[in-house]
């Protein structure tokens, strides 16, 4: 990238980030996720480091936040409310610490959970609350004292009798809305037909900027302190002392902080501890705050630009980030679905490198106006396939190219069709399409279906490419002597693969049915159909009316099952399975201590996954449901459950039990 291109990109990034920050910090609106904005800002910082002569005083990297809202009195802060520089991994933590230690000896760090709320400073004179001030631009904030006074967690008078209840004491912290209170508020708004709020942080910020304190009093907010200021800095010798003192004075603080040695390994141990556990906290958080514990050392290290040297914010892998679309190609799935897929410049999202993301279908590409060359926001949560959320249109330079849906399959050149005029998905109708063939075989061997170890995507492609198999039924004819000739296999791996395949000749009927890859038949539908008809032959003979009698099977699913079994090519496949010795187990009359009881699970379980719990419930005769319904008898309540879900269960009269209670039922 030359200087002209860099300047153009920097200008566009600054404009977009400033627009986001104005909406987020001033208007309390989200134009994109904070993670996506962080990603854009990170790109801007890297460009400015590469071209330092392009850094300007008005760059988003050189400021803290937006201007104060009109409608409140502006108040100058006694000390500037600073922001923090971000670090994202162990190497960046280590580099930050190395820079500090070149300037000052640093032995101990204070590590706390970073809260996602509205930063606020509370000023006390002789122990009495005098003023509440928002961060504003860091130098000048908004006087929100009337609103702050409605928050019950804010002391109107400081507790105790010490030097901190005399003279001027300032407590800084975050005003947050807890997740369960946010869900309850949105539930009320939904019932009233009002627009739903986007997230707890924006709701808390928007509430505090209401001009009517009575409205603020109606919403449940919390103030949690993170800093303590006095005219004489020696009054607060350490950050740990500040937390304990704030707590003594009557403030809620995060007492789960940790003091650790000043090395990256110790910091990362704390980060790893909270990576999953943070989701059980009452408030939202995306990382940790790391500070030099000794306040005199902290002060000597000073400030660089907008941030103190002696503190940093560790951010967990974002579930969203930004990158560029290099190309868009068509992927053919096992059912023939032709899915547009974006090929991306590699980007780390949710802890893993993403290079491709689904665009779902032609209609979605047009609706989102995704073009080759676009800078886009990519989303990935947990194990969900990455997807492109939106294109950042304002960053376009005119070189982007619109996507045109091909008319034929890229793998077999068969003309793409829509099964129904109203369908959004184009499909390859060729049952022998190479992509459809190997993906069907892979699906059959997948964990949720037959769970055949060693038969993943690359091995399936190798077996099909060599001509050893043409479909899933052929895998049962494989011999060790044939497999070992392939480059991907040695003697032991070939033997293990053949043994794993032969061990799955009598699979549970539901797993076999799911493994066939029938459109619209997921794992739960396969279980319901298998339990109702009990044998593969009975399912194959079932009519649409008979299938529709199964709970959870509607007309679309019933039609799909009937059509699949009626296809001659599928009848030949089933016959081949039979000839190769594959006999799905018939479902016996299910009995057991949980016979007839219907379970649902909400929240996370510690001792097992949700799928494992479902299998154990079914093994004892119970029925597992994916969500709470009118006929759900027992709701297992795990960790991090929203108040609205529990309220729904209570309204339906569903019996609620804990994970411990469930284990007792499973072990009886």
């Amino acid at each position: 990238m030359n200087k002209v291109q860099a300047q153009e990109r920097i200008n566009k990034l600054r404009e977009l980030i400033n627009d986001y920050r104005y909406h987020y910090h001033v208007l309390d609106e989200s134009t994109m996720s904070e993670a996506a904005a962080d990603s854009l800002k990170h790109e801007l910082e890297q460009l400015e480091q590469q071209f330092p002569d392009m850094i300007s005083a008005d760059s988003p990297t050189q400021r803290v936040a937006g201007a104060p809202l009109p409608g409140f009195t502006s108040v100058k802060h006694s000390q500037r409310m600073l922001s923090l520089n971000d670090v994202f991994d162990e190497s960046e933590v280590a580099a930050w610490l190395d820079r500090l230690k070149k300037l000052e000896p640093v032995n101990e760090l204070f590590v706390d959970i970073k809260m996602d709320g509205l930063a606020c400073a509370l000023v006390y004179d002789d122990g009495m609350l005098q003023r509440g001030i928002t961060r504003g631009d860091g130098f000048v904030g908004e006087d929100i004292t009337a609103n702050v006074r409605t928050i019950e967690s804010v002391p109107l008078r400081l507790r105790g009798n010490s030097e901190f209840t005399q003279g001027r004491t300032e407590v800084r912290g975050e005003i947050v809305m807890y997740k369960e209170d946010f869900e309850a508020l949105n539930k009320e708004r939904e019932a009233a037909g009002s627009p739903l709020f986007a997230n707890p942080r924006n709701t808390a910020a928007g509430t505090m900027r209401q001009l009517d304190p009575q409205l603020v009093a109606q919403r449940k907010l919390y103030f949690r302190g993170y800093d303590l200021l006095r005219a004489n800095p020696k009054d607060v010798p350490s950050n740990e002392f500040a937390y304990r003192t704030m707590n003594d004075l009557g403030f809620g603080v995060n007492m789960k902080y940790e003091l650790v040695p000043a090395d990256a390994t110790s910091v990362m141990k704390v980060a790893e501890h909270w990576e999953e556990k943070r989701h059980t906290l009452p408030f939202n958080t995306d990382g940790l705050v790391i500070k030099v514990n000794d306040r005199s050392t902290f002060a000597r290290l000073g400030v660089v630009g907008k941030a103190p040297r002696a503190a940093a914010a560790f951010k967990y892998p974002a579930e969203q980030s930004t990158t560029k679309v290099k190309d868009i190609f068509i992927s053919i799935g096992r059912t023939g679905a032709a899915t547009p897929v974006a090929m991306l410049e590699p980007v780390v999202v949710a802890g893993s490198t993403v290079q491709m993301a689904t665009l779902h279908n032609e209609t979605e590409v047009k609706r989102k106006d995704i073009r080759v060359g676009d800078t886009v926001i990519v989303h990935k949560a947990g194990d969900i396939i990455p997807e492109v959320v939106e294109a950042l249109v304002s960053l376009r330079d005119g070189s982007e190219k619109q996507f045109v849906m091909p008319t034929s399959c890229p793998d077999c050149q068969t003309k793409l069709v829509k099964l129904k005029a109203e369908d959004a998905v184009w499909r390859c109708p060729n049952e022998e399409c190479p992509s459809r063939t190997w993906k069907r075989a892979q699906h059959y061997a997948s964990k949720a279906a037959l769970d055949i170890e060693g038969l993943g995507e690359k091995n399936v492609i190798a077996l099909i490419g060599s001509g050893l198999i043409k479909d899933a039924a052929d895998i049962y004819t494989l011999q060790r002597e044939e497999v070992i000739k392939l480059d991907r296999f040695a003697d032991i791996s070939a033997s293990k693969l053949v043994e794993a395949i032969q061990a799955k000749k009598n699979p549970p009927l539901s797993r076999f049915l799911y493994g066939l890859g029938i459109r619209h038949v997921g794992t739960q539908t396969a279980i319901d159909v298998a339990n109702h008809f009990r044998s593969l032959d009975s399912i194959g003979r079932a009519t649409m009316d008979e299938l529709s009698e199964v709970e959870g099977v509607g007309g679309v699913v019933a039609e799909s099952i009937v059509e699949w079994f009626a296809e001659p090519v599928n009848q030949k496949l089933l016959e081949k399975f039979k000839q190769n010795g594959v006999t799905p187990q018939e479902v016996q009359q299910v009995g057991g201590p949980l016979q007839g009881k219907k379970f649902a699970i909400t929240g996370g379980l510690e001792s097992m996954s949700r799928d494992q719990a479902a299998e154990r419930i079914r093994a004892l005769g119970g029925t597992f449901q994916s969500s709470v319904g009118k006929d759900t008898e027992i709701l297992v309540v795990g960790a991090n459950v929203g108040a609205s879900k529990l309220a729904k269960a209570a309204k339906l009269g569903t019996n609620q039990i804990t994970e411990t209670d469930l284990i007792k039922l499973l072990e009886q």
Side-chain angles (χ1 to χ4, degrees):
M1 182 180 290
N2 60 39
K3 291 195 72 171
V4 174
Q5 292 171 326
Q7 185 66 70
E8 184 179 357
R9 182 69 175 177
I10 284 172
N11 290 342
K12 286 179 178 291
L13 285 167
R14 286 174 181 168
E15 184 178 350
L16 186 59
I17 294 167
N18 280 329
D19 181 70
Y20 161 77
R21 292 176 70 85
Y22 172 74
H23 281 273
Y24 190 77
H25 292 287
V26 178
L27 301 182
D28 301 319
E29 298 172 351
S30 286
T31 56
M32 69 180 78
S33 73
E34 189 173 358
D38 284 344
S39 181
L40 292 175
K41 184 180 170 186
H42 195 61
E43 180 186 351
L44 178 59
E45 288 173 341
Q46 289 179 321
L47 282 172
E48 289 183 343
Q49 287 175 8
Q50 187 177 353
F51 301 95
D53 57 319
M54 295 182 186
I55 297 175
S56 63
D58 63 346
S59 172
T61 63
Q62 306 300 305
R63 59 186 290 187
V64 177
L69 270 176
F72 290 99
T73 303
S74 295
V75 181
K76 186 176 181 180
H77 289 293
S78 61
Q79 295 181 30
R80 184 182 176 190
M81 289 189 76
L82 298 166
S83 185
L84 298 177
N85 287 326
D86 296 335
V87 289
F88 294 92
D89 55 36
E90 186 167 358
S91 64
E92 293 191 5
V93 174
W96 168 66
L97 286 171
D98 286 344
R99 291 194 296 271
L100 295 189
K101 292 176 181 179
K102 288 178 181 178
L103 300 172
E104 288 280 344
V106 177
N107 300 314
E108 187 175 56
L109 299 175
F110 178 92
V111 185
D112 185 28
I113 299 157
K114 182 176 177 290
M115 295 169 288
D116 191 16
L118 174 73
C120 179
L122 303 179
V123 179
Y124 290 81
D125 282 332
D126 292 333
M128 295 291 290
L129 176 66
Q130 297 298 316
R131 186 168 281 170
I133 314 167
T134 64
R135 180 199 297 273
D137 65 359
F139 294 99
V140 177
E142 307 149 3
D143 188 334
I144 56 169
T145 308
N147 290 345
V148 162
R149 291 177 67 89
T150 70
I151 301 175
E152 293 191 13
S153 57
V154 173
L156 299 181
R157 179 193 290 272
L158 298 178
R159 288 169 56 87
N161 184 19
S162 65
E163 67 267 33
F164 294 94
T165 60
Q166 300 168 24
R168 188 183 192 280
T169 298
E170 183 173 335
V171 176
R172 292 180 173 180
E174 296 276 336
I175 295 174
V176 297
M177 176 174 280
Y178 287 175
K179 290 180 284 190
E180 65 173 9
D181 296 322
F182 172 75
E183 290 186 13
L185 178 60
N186 259 351
K187 193 73 175 177
E188 291 174 7
R189 294 181 67 82
E190 183 179 22
S194 302
L196 301 186
F197 290 127
N199 55 61
R201 188 269 165 198
N202 279 18
T203 306
T207 299
M208 292 309 298
R209 285 173 174 144
Q210 294 292 324
L211 295 176
D212 183 3
Q214 292 185 0
L215 188 148
V216 180
Q218 293 171 11
R219 296 180 186 168
K220 203 167 184 180
L221 298 171
Y222 296 86
F223 176 88
R224 298 177 75 101
Y226 62 67
D227 199 7
L228 180 64
L229 303 180
R230 291 279 289 176
N232 183 358
K234 292 182 179 180
D235 287 350
V236 188
S238 70
N239 283 303
E240 182 190 26
F241 178 88
Y243 268 50
R244 294 194 176 279
T245 302
M246 284 188 289
N247 204 228
D248 291 340
L249 293 172
F251 293 94
V253 295
N254 295 329
M255 295 302 285
K256 294 180 180 179
Y257 66 79
E258 292 192 42
L259 295 176
V260 301
D263 61 76
T265 302
S266 298
V267 172
M268 293 308 296
K269 283 182 180 178
V270 181
E272 289 164 9
H273 171 77
W274 283 108
E275 185 163 12
E276 291 301 325
K277 198 173 179 182
R278 65 193 166 107
H279 297 299
T280 65
L281 294 168
F283 51 82
N284 282 335
T285 173
D286 61 357
L288 306 173
V289 175
I290 315 163
K291 302 177 183 178
V292 171
N293 189 37
D294 182 74
R295 294 280 282 255
S296 59
T297 304
F298 192 106
R300 286 196 302 273
L301 283 166
V303 175
V304 178
K306 65 183 179 64
R309 278 198 183 94
F314 175 85
K315 292 287 190 73
Y316 287 107
E319 293 182 346
Q320 287 194 343
S321 191
T322 56
T323 186
K324 275 200 166 187
V325 177
K326 295 164 61 179
D327 196 6
I328 298 176
F329 66 94
I330 295 298
S331 173
I332 304 298
R334 58 184 170 82
T335 64
T339 304
V341 177
M343 183 180 294
L344 308 169
E345 290 183 353
V347 61
V348 176
V349 188
S352 61
T353 300
V354 172
Q355 293 179 281
M356 290 183 289
T358 181
L359 296 172
H360 298 293
N361 54 57
E362 180 188 22
T363 303
E364 277 293 282
V365 178
K366 289 180 179 178
R367 185 181 70 81
K368 294 179 178 179
D369 190 20
I370 308 297
R371 304 180 186 184
V372 175
D374 269 340
T375 298
V376 295
I377 296 175
V378 182
H379 175 79
K380 181 176 182 287
D383 295 327
I384 296 175
I385 298 171
E387 68 172 335
V388 173
V389 178
E390 65 174 302
L392 300 175
V393 178
S394 62
L395 293 180
R396 286 177 179 164
D397 58 15
S399 65
E400 295 80 14
K401 296 179 181 178
Q402 289 187 318
F403 168 74
V404 178
M405 188 73 186
T407 57
S408 59
C409 173
D411 295 322
C412 67
Q413 282 67 58
T414 303
K415 186 177 180 180
L416 298 177
V417 300
K418 287 188 177 182
L419 300 183
K420 295 180 180 178
E422 64 271 20
D423 283 354
V425 178
W426 290 93
R427 296 182 185 277
C428 172
N430 180 12
E431 291 289 341
E432 296 183 357
C433 173
S435 283
R436 295 190 65 180
T437 300
W438 76 257
K439 286 179 180 176
R440 281 196 297 261
Q442 182 197 10
H443 174 76
Y444 179 82
S446 67
K447 192 173 184 66
L450 275 288
D451 192 17
I452 301 175
E453 189 173 352
L455 204 54
E457 175 182 328
K458 292 181 180 178
N459 284 349
V460 168
I461 292 174
L463 292 168
I464 289 178
S466 67
L468 289 180
I469 67 171
K470 292 182 178 180
D471 52 42
D474 285 340
I475 65 173
Y476 293 98
T477 65
L478 289 172
Q479 301 295 318
R480 185 188 67 84
E481 293 75 16
E482 297 174 323
V483 177
I484 201 173
K485 294 177 183 178
L486 302 181
D487 290 340
R488 294 186 57 80
F489 294 93
D491 187 20
I492 294 177
S493 58
S495 297
K496 284 187 175 181
L497 176 60
V498 172
E499 290 170 6
I501 292 170
Q502 293 302 311
K504 298 299 173 73
K505 278 193 169 183
N506 300 107
L509 177 58
S510 61
R511 283 183 173 268
F512 183 79
L513 182 62
Y514 174 69
L516 293 176
I518 303 171
R519 283 184 66 207
H520 306 304
V521 176
T523 52
Q524 187 60 48
T525 299
I527 291 166
D528 294 337
V529 171
N531 288 343
H532 185 88
F533 292 99
R534 300 191 185 176
S535 72
L536 187 64
D537 288 341
S538 296
I539 297 172
R541 293 193 300 266
T543 65
M544 280 191 60
D545 288 342
E546 290 171 336
L547 284 160
S548 297
E549 291 176 3
V550 180
E551 184 178 359
V553 175
V556 174
V557 178
E559 181 181 7
S560 183
I561 294 173
V562 169
E563 287 180 352
W564 193 93
F565 280 93
E567 283 284 345
V569 66
N570 294 330
Q571 292 175 359
K572 289 181 181 179
L573 178 67
L574 292 175
E575 183 60 30
K576 188 188 284 190
F577 272 119
K578 189 174 182 180
Q579 291 174 355
N580 292 342
V582 180
T583 308
Q585 302 169 26
E586 293 192 1
V587 178
Q588 303 301 315
Q589 182 66 44
V590 179
L594 303 184
Q595 177 69 38
K597 295 185 181 296
K598 296 181 178 181
F599 289 76
I601 297 174
T602 184
L605 302 180
E606 293 185 2
S607 60
M608 67 192 91
S609 69
R610 189 171 298 201
D611 287 342
Q612 290 171 331
E615 286 195 10
R616 293 182 66 179
I617 288 169
R618 294 185 188 111
L620 294 175
T623 299
F624 177 75
Q625 300 175 319
S626 57
S627 60
V628 179
K630 293 181 180 179
D631 60 344
T632 306
E633 297 175 56
I634 300 173
L635 175 65
V636 182
V637 181
N640 196 25
V641 181
S644 61
K645 294 181 181 179
L646 299 182
K648 178 183 177 182
K651 185 176 180 180
L652 294 172
T654 309
N655 181 30
Q656 299 178 25
I657 66 172
T658 65
E659 182 178 354
T660 302
D661 297 328
L662 174 64
I663 293 172
K664 290 178 182 177
L665 289 175
L666 296 177
E667 293 177 348
Q668 61 182 328

